Amino acid sequence: MKSLSESLCPCGSGQVYSHCCEIFHNGKPAPTAEKLMRSRFCAYYLKNTVYLLETTWPRQHDGLNKSGIMKRVDTTEWTRLDVVRTEAGQTEDSKGVVEFKAWFKEGAGESAHHETSDFIRDNGRWYFIYPDIPAKLPGRNDPCLCGSGKKYKKCCGC
């Protein structure tokens, strides 16, 4: 029997896990929003809650329901991922959108969680943004979140 590292990655990329999501789970930043989305699905599949928390935008950590995330990881058997579309989210972008269907077993059948998620690149790393958790905004003199290089007060914070 193959080890997970030698098996196809659960994210559905068609690559072997050791050359796909494992490198991100071991600390290398995902270069695009889609690769982060795939590695997060893989983390759900492997029940890797640490990675899920680490790849959530740090400005939302105070509002995270960590026990809810852990419960969902523990009680759901994720089966496959279909990426429907991506919008921006490339290495040169500061924001991105990934629409996906994450399939899971429920009772005797399979169901899909269909979502369109926002991602942000902050300090050179991509992060998942929870839509229902408020973000702690930067101070007036901090760099703007959009990556313009301007101070927040002179850009998106006006």
Side-chain angles (χ1 to χ4, degrees):
M1 189 167 129
K2 289 183 180 179
S3 71
L4 178 60
S5 289
E6 299 167 339
S7 299
L8 287 179
C9 191
C11 80
S13 67
Q15 297 180 349
V16 175
Y17 174 67
S18 62
H19 297 300
C20 192
C21 293
E22 184 176 43
I23 59 178
F24 307 130
H25 293 165
N26 287 335
K28 181 179 178 182
T32 66
E34 181 179 332
K35 287 193 182 213
L36 180 63
M37 176 62 244
R38 288 182 178 281
S39 67
R40 284 179 58 86
F41 171 82
C42 193
Y44 272 105
Y45 181 93
L46 298 172
K47 303 185 182 310
N48 182 348
T49 54
V50 171
Y51 185 77
L52 294 169
L53 298 174
E54 288 174 349
T55 57
T56 299
W57 194 26
R59 294 184 183 274
Q60 291 184 310
H61 281 200
D62 290 346
L64 279 179
N65 177 356
K66 292 175 184 143
S67 63
I69 292 169
M70 288 184 203
K71 181 179 178 186
R72 185 159 197 187
V73 166
D74 286 340
T75 60
T76 306
E77 183 182 349
W78 298 98
T79 58
R80 63 187 164 98
L81 175 69
D82 294 327
V83 174
V84 177
R85 70 178 176 89
T86 60
E87 193 176 295
Q90 299 305 306
T91 55
E92 67 279 357
D93 296 321
S94 58
K95 294 180 181 177
V97 175
V98 180
E99 181 182 359
F100 65 92
K101 291 181 183 178
W103 295 86
F104 60 96
K105 286 188 179 176
E106 187 174 60
E110 192 176 40
S111 298
H113 171 78
H114 188 178
E115 183 177 313
T116 301
S117 296
D118 291 318
F119 294 83
I120 190 165
R121 192 165 54 101
D122 190 356
N123 289 320
R125 292 185 78 98
W126 281 103
Y127 294 99
F128 170 74
I129 300 174
Y130 276 97
D132 55 346
I133 297 176
K136 189 167 131 183
L137 295 176
R140 293 175 34 83
N141 292 316
D142 290 336
C144 191
L145 300 173
C146 75
S148 68
K150 297 178 184 178
K151 289 184 178 183
Y152 182 67
K153 68 183 177 187
K154 297 282 186 179
C155 195
C156 296
C158 52

